Structure formats: structure tokens, C-alpha cells
Amino acid sequence: MSERDLLLRASERLQATLPAGWDVQITASTHPEVDANLKLERFGSPVLTYRVETKRTITRADVLSLLGKQRYITERLARQTDEAEPWLLATRYLSRQIQDLLRERDVSYIDATGNIFISAEKPLVVISERGATADPWRGVGRPTTSLNGLPAALMVRALADYTPPLTVPELAKVAGASIGAAYRLVDYLKNEGLLSRVDRGPITEVDWPELLRRWSQDAPVLNANSTRGFLEPRGVDSVVQKLGKTTSPQRYAVSGSLATQPYAPYAEARLGLIYAEDPMALAADLGLRPVESGANVILAAPRSPVVFERTSTWRDITIVAPSQAAADLLGGPGRNPAEGEFLLDWMKENPDAWRRQFDR
Amino acid sequence: MPGADNLIVEARAALLDAVAALEAHKDSVILIGAQAIYLHTGHATFAIAEATKDSDLAIDARALGEDPLLEEAMTRAGFILNPVTRQPGAWMSPNGIPVDLMVPENLAGSGSRRGVRIPPHDKHSARRAAGLEAAIIDQSPMRVQSLDGDGRSEVINVAGPAALLVAKLHKLGERVDTPDRLNDKDAHDIYRLLVATETSELAETIRQLLAEELSQRATTRALEFVQQLFAAGPDALGSTMAGRAEEGVGQPDTVSASVSFLAQDLLSALA
């Protein structure tokens, strides 16, 4: 799809959301740095004009650099004409994450699948519409840029848990991943704007809250592990008590709401998540009943042993590291995502309580 | 629920007033109902708040003295019989908080109406109720404190978890055929009792209740209700009601499944 085609498609989508009497007009721009102008008209009178930045595809890093470029253009136009119209991004497809980023920065956007956000103060106009949640034009066989899989799990956790600077070989070492996989992942994350790295040098900064959010969406806890629901009829706290007393030799680690209790308890835990190498044996030890609905404990056989890395002890039970608990909650069911954001806030305020230095 | 906390505070105050009014009969008065349940289950946490405006008192008519008469003692303390329902034993404090005096069916004397035959006390002074016999056996004194910080307290005989379970099961079981009188909260109170009490402890007391002549029949019937309303599964009427009580604030499916498993555990422990 050419840039012109996608702009037409996206503006058709926008037109479809408008009430009768409103029109979308696309016109060519005389300004060399502006791809086109988009006008909203009501009964033939102009209401809003945007200068359009058209991009076929876009990454987080592209958005961040576009913000800088557009700020510069705005300033220059304002100097020339007193008033610069706001800018709008038009693309083939925008992922949820990028939409969130744009909204956060109050940037209006339209995509060819119907994801729309138009926000203006004068006159007050807000148009918001959801389109596709996956890129329908993405070619088959292209690498799915994703944090799914074992090496990604090892390295995401290490990037969150270790305070930079950290060289790529050091990352590979603490994570237990291959050096090749570490370079590939670091390149990818740098392109996505999730970490900064000196050229040929160490990683200097990691946007770990966003990294954990991305990981939780690419590999949500209930998809990435084999899980089964159980019920402890006396409630989740009773599971903690039993687990603290168990003499079972098997390795386990408690995650989810329970793992936030020592740091950032959001509310009474209603759903326990426990990783165990042999979930059925642990369920039998604890007297949990397998149920199809109404579970208050989920036992998961982890695909990645990373869940057992950097655990701690609370009320005589083993709990996962905050970074693991946060990702599990962000991708979890019910009110888990809100609990995950609450934990991220605590983690941002108390990095010394959980991030560690790489021991050189 | 706005005002819910206040309701509990006022209900507790009315209870203490009623117990003080019945001071002379103290040994024959036993606290039952939701207030007694909360005294036993307060250490466990639940998605729905404790809420009751009623105080329910069972009267052991066997040892009940003649002086003062129940109706005189209550009236002197400012209580009146509820003028709207005109039910026997449905007393109201000056603030309009209900305090019910009830006599177990087996001890309520002859007659088939709701009033009692425990002369010289008036037949409207208390109401007969099925399933309260267990409370006469399974009870112990507890210090019950005011909730408004005035430091007031009374030592009151409080029915034990097993007796409270038997009483609630009768309340539910006997209303199965009149669904408009069924209250989801009663089933949730049963869930509270089963969660907060160890199954073995509950089973032990129920065995004693089955061995006593006074409570044997009511307890046997209650166990039939346990089977039919709860142990039969998460979809049984009682299990469903207990879950429904948490709709919107808790986890209905979890509660329904939990109460059913706990009921099954209790019956297995008794088998």
C-alpha cells in the first residue's frame, strides 16, 4: 500500500465515524516537510486543519523521533505564520502500545484499519475509535517482533533486575542466554526505544516498566505456561499458611497478587498464582481441588525456569522477584493488570529495594 | 453500602440494651443469628461486609424464671413490639432496631401459632422457631463489646458455630418452597461459618448435638439440608445463593464451589 493509498483509506475510516454534515478533505501541502493537509469541515465551513505525517509502518523509536521533528516544524511554522496547525499521524496500522504512547503525548492519529484519535481544544473535538488489533497487511513469514520465548524471558528479567550499565556479553551472562541472542534482542529493543546503548558499548538505560508491559503482552502468563485452576475453599490466605508449613521438597514460587503483598498490596489477594515443577503433586500436598470454574489458585508449570530466579521469602513461602510478579499481573486476568501497574509504581519509587548491580 | 457500619454499631447497642433488660434471665438467653456468626468468623475476610440490623436471642424456656415477665422487662427498657408486623417476639428498640426473642420449637409449649406457651410470660413476648434447639446445647459465654467506643460490654451466652449452622440451615431449608422469603445473605452466612471453623471441630460438636435428645431431631434435619442445599454441588440452591450474595463485589463462582466443597467435607467427616 502506498502512502497516498493508506492516507485515503484512513481518511475514509475517519469520515465513517463523523455525523452527517461533516466532511474530511485531504489536500496537497505546499510545504516541503508536510505530506498533506487534512481538513475537517462542517457544512462546508472549516473546523480543524491538521498537517499530516504519513508513514507506512512505525515503531516506538520512530514515534519518539517524529515527536522531535514535529516540534521543530511547529516552531518554525509558528515563526513564519503566527499560527501552526497541529500535526496528525497517518499510518497503515498502529499497535495498542503505540496508540497509548501517542495519546499520552496528545498526538492525533488515524490508521487504515480504523484506529482513530482526534483531539483538539479549539474548537473542542474528540473522536476516538478502535480499529484492528493486529496488522492485517503484515507479510507472512516476516519475523514477528515479539518477546515470546525462553531467551527473551531470561533477558527481559535480567534487563529489569540489573541496574545498567551492562555490556551485551554481561547481559548474556547474567541472563544465561547466548551472546548471539543477546545482541539480537538488544538491537530489537533499541529499535523499539526500550533501551539505550552506546554504539559498540554498554547498555546505558532500560525503560524497564515499558519492557515488562511489552513482555506481559507478548507472552501473557496464562498462555506462556501450562496452567490449571484449583480451589482452596477456605480462601487464598489459607494457601499461604499451608504452603509455609509444607515439607514438600519440590521447587515452587508464588507470583501474582500474593507476591505483591510484601511491597505493594493493592487489595486482598483473591487469586493465587503458583509456579511449580510438578503442579499436580503440589496441589495434592496442599489439598487443593481441581475446578473448572471458580478457581482461586492457579498452578503453572513454567516453560521458563526464569521464574525461579532471584526469588525471596515472605511468611515462610518463596515468592518470585517483583519484575516477574509485575509481568504476570500485567498480563493476567480480572483486576490483575491494575495490581501490576500499582506494583510498577512501587518499583519505580523503590529501585534500590529490588534492582541489583552486576558483579564484575 | 452507606450507613452499613453505623447499622452494625446501632444493632450492637440495641443487643446490649436488650441483654441488660433481661439481666435477671441472663443464663437463659443465648445470642444467635448474624451477630453471633460475626463474633465467630471475624478473623476471616470476606468480599461482602458484615451487615445486620437484627439481634436474635434464643430463650431457654426450661430454666426461665417468672420474674420479671419477658414483656415487662423489655417494655421497661423502652422496647415495643413491632406495630407493623405484629409478630410475636419481634421487639424494636426506641431507635427502631429489631431485637427478636425466640424459643426453640421443642421448648415453646403447645399450640401451632407463632406465639409461645411459656406461662406466665405472655404468648406474644417471644416467637417459636424451628432449629434453635442446638443453640441451647452448643453455647458459651463471651464478652460482647459495644462498637461505638463507649466501653460498654456484657458477658452473653453465644451460640457456637455448629448450633448457628443448624439454625441457619433450618431458616434456609424451611423457606425453599417460598422463594420470596429466601435471602442470599443467609446462605453466605453459612459459607462464613464453614470457612472460619475447622471441619473437624464442627463435626465433633455436631456429633454431640446428635447425641442430645433436645437437639437430635433439629440437627438431623439440618444435615439433610446441608446435603440438599450445599453438598449436592456448586449449582445446588444454597451454594448458588451464597455465591450470588457476592455478585458484583466478590467471586460468586469461587464462593459457590467453596461452600459446596466445605459442606461435602463436613458430611464426610461425620460419616
Side-chain angles (χ1 to χ4, degrees):
Chain A
M1 198 189 305
S2 71
E3 289 195 352
R4 165 120 197 113
D5 284 346
L6 79 84
L7 180 56
L8 288 177
R9 279 210 203 202
S11 60
E12 280 164 17
R13 295 295 194 150
L14 174 59
Q15 176 74 57
T17 66
L18 298 175
W22 288 68
D23 280 304
V24 181
Q25 299 285 345
I26 303 286
T27 53
S29 170
T30 51
H31 198 285
E33 278 168 311
V34 176
D35 295 335
N37 284 314
L38 182 149
K39 257 190 211 140
L40 282 184
E41 294 180 351
R42 185 169 175 271
F43 297 111
S45 311
V47 176
L48 268 175
T49 304
Y50 283 96
R51 54 174 207 270
V52 180
E53 175 81 41
T54 313
K55 285 264 177 205
R56 291 179 59 216
T57 59
I58 193 155
T59 64
R60 245 183 108 76
D62 295 337
V63 170
L64 297 174
S65 83
L66 266 184
L67 287 168
K69 174 183 158 192
Q70 290 294 341
R71 192 180 316 121
Y72 171 75
I73 297 177
T74 303
E75 279 166 16
R76 251 200 355 213
L77 286 177
R79 245 177 283 138
Q80 290 166 5
T81 63
D82 278 1
E83 203 176 349
E85 59 277 286
W87 72 284
L88 171 147
L89 175 66
T91 68
R92 195 175 70 182
Y93 166 75
L94 287 164
S95 68
R96 270 282 307 284
Q97 289 89 350
I98 292 186
Q99 290 182 49
D100 290 345
L101 175 66
L102 291 165
R103 281 169 189 252
E104 216 171 86
R105 305 296 173 99
D106 202 28
V107 175
S108 297
Y109 58 77
I110 53 178
D111 81 12
T113 76
N115 286 302
I116 294 167
F117 177 66
I118 302 278
S119 149
E121 279 181 25
K122 275 186 203 164
L124 187 64
V125 172
V126 178
I127 304 168
S128 178
E129 191 69 26
R130 279 278 156 89
T133 52
D135 185 351
W137 295 284
R138 196 180 61 203
V140 185
R142 285 181 55 186
T144 45
T145 44
S146 132
L147 297 176
N148 211 338
L150 178 59
L154 294 167
M155 287 185 283
V156 167
R157 278 287 315 280
L159 282 168
D161 290 353
Y162 286 91
T163 310
L166 200 64
T167 66
V168 179
E170 283 168 348
L171 169 66
K173 188 175 171 215
V174 291
S178 76
I179 291 189
Y183 275 105
R184 276 194 300 278
L185 186 83
V186 167
D187 276 351
Y188 167 61
L189 294 177
K190 193 178 168 202
N191 269 332
E192 292 289 299
L194 293 170
L195 60 73
S196 313
R197 182 183 163 217
V198 179
D199 271 344
R200 296 171 188 280
I203 297 156
T204 51
E205 208 186 325
V206 177
D207 183 355
W208 58 264
E210 195 52 36
L211 178 62
L212 293 174
R213 284 192 196 103
R214 284 284 299 275
W215 182 39
S216 74
Q217 296 196 354
D218 289 353
V221 53
L222 299 184
N223 298 354
N225 301 284
S226 101
T227 60
R228 170 115 209 224
F230 292 86
L231 181 69
E232 163 47 62
R234 284 179 212 277
V236 175
D237 199 64
S238 168
V239 180
V240 174
Q241 288 172 26
K242 286 190 196 171
L243 206 49
K245 287 183 203 140
T246 183
T247 49
S248 161
Q250 86 153 292
R251 192 150 72 138
Y252 75 86
V254 173
S255 185
S257 318
L258 282 173
T260 72
Q261 300 295 313
Y263 326 103
Y266 179 78
E268 186 85 21
R270 284 187 187 163
L271 183 66
L273 171 64
I274 307 175
Y275 288 108
E277 280 169 339
D278 184 350
M280 291 313 280
L282 186 67
D285 284 346
L286 299 178
L288 304 176
R289 335 276 172 112
V291 287
E292 294 305 320
S293 69
N296 59 7
V297 186
I298 291 175
L299 293 192
R303 295 243 173 89
S304 158
V306 75
V307 300
F308 298 120
E309 293 293 329
R310 305 181 281 280
T311 56
S312 58
T313 301
W314 169 74
R315 283 179 62 187
D316 295 331
I317 63 170
T318 304
I319 58 173
V320 297
S323 56
Q324 182 71 45
D328 288 347
L329 286 167
L330 290 167
R335 64 177 183 187
N336 273 185
E339 295 172 272
E341 288 294 338
F342 192 73
L343 177 59
L344 282 185
D345 287 343
W346 177 86
M347 291 165 72
K348 283 182 216 162
E349 277 164 32
N350 302 280
D352 297 344
W354 65 277
R355 287 193 102 185
R356 50 187 78 199
Q357 301 291 333
F358 176 68
D359 197 3
R360 286 188 176 82
Chain B
M1 198 194 320
D5 286 352
N6 210 27
L7 208 54
I8 273 209
V9 173
E10 287 189 32
R12 180 61 59 83
L15 167 67
L16 294 174
D17 288 344
V19 169
L22 299 172
E23 174 70 31
H25 302 303
K26 200 161 191 178
D27 292 344
S28 304
V29 172
I30 303 139
L31 178 64
I32 56 171
Q35 294 216 46
I37 291 176
Y38 300 157
L39 288 172
H40 287 295
T41 62
H43 58 279
T45 49
F46 298 93
I48 53 173
E50 299 180 350
T52 185
K53 61 182 195 310
D54 302 15
S55 299
D56 299 331
L57 294 170
I59 310 282
D60 180 357
R62 296 173 307 180
L64 185 65
E66 300 191 348
D67 184 42
L69 295 172
L70 291 178
E71 58 275 22
E72 274 177 20
M74 292 299 278
T75 312
R76 213 178 296 144
F79 287 86
I80 55 163
L81 273 174
N82 187 321
V84 181
T85 66
R86 306 180 67 86
Q87 280 227 54
W91 295 93
M92 260 171 53
S93 77
N95 295 340
I97 306 293
V99 174
D100 284 351
L101 299 188
M102 290 181 277
V103 178
E105 180 75 56
N106 277 2
L107 301 176
S110 60
S112 56
R113 307 284 299 265
R114 305 205 74 193
V116 291
R117 301 293 182 277
I118 49 167
H121 303 279
D122 189 86
K123 63 182 179 191
H124 289 111
S125 62
R127 167 166 88 249
R128 63 178 65 226
L132 305 189
E133 292 77 7
I136 307 293
I137 312 286
D138 173 27
Q139 44 127 327
S140 56
M142 283 173 86
R143 182 164 289 280
V144 178
Q145 273 158 353
S146 153
L147 298 174
D148 62 7
D150 63 5
R152 200 152 68 106
S153 73
E154 295 273 355
V155 174
I156 307 177
N157 295 320
V158 180
L164 292 166
L165 188 66
V166 169
K168 274 280 173 195
L169 283 162
H170 274 265
K171 190 174 176 194
L172 270 188
E174 274 152 23
R175 295 177 176 191
V176 167
D177 296 327
T178 47
D180 54 316
R181 292 177 63 221
L182 282 171
N183 187 346
D184 290 346
K185 204 176 93 37
D186 287 323
H188 195 271
D189 281 345
I190 288 174
Y191 163 67
R192 279 182 202 264
L193 281 167
L194 290 173
V195 166
T197 324
E198 283 301 327
T199 303
S200 54
E201 188 187 312
L202 212 46
E204 176 62 32
T205 314
I206 287 178
R207 264 188 225 107
Q208 289 167 18
L209 292 172
L210 287 169
E212 292 279 343
E213 199 192 333
L214 177 61
S215 52
Q216 194 260 334
R217 212 176 53 156
T219 309
T220 305
R221 186 91 183 98
L223 293 176
E224 290 164 15
F225 290 139
V226 168
Q227 171 57 41
Q228 173 199 338
L229 298 175
F230 293 96
D235 301 329
L237 181 64
S239 310
T240 308
M241 289 171 65
R244 203 161 54 201
E246 288 205 356
E247 215 155 66
V249 292
Q251 301 160 288
D253 288 350
T254 302
V255 170
S256 295
S258 297
V259 73
S260 186
F261 277 126
L262 292 167
Q264 288 164 24
D265 290 353
L266 177 61
L267 294 179
S268 316
L270 287 164

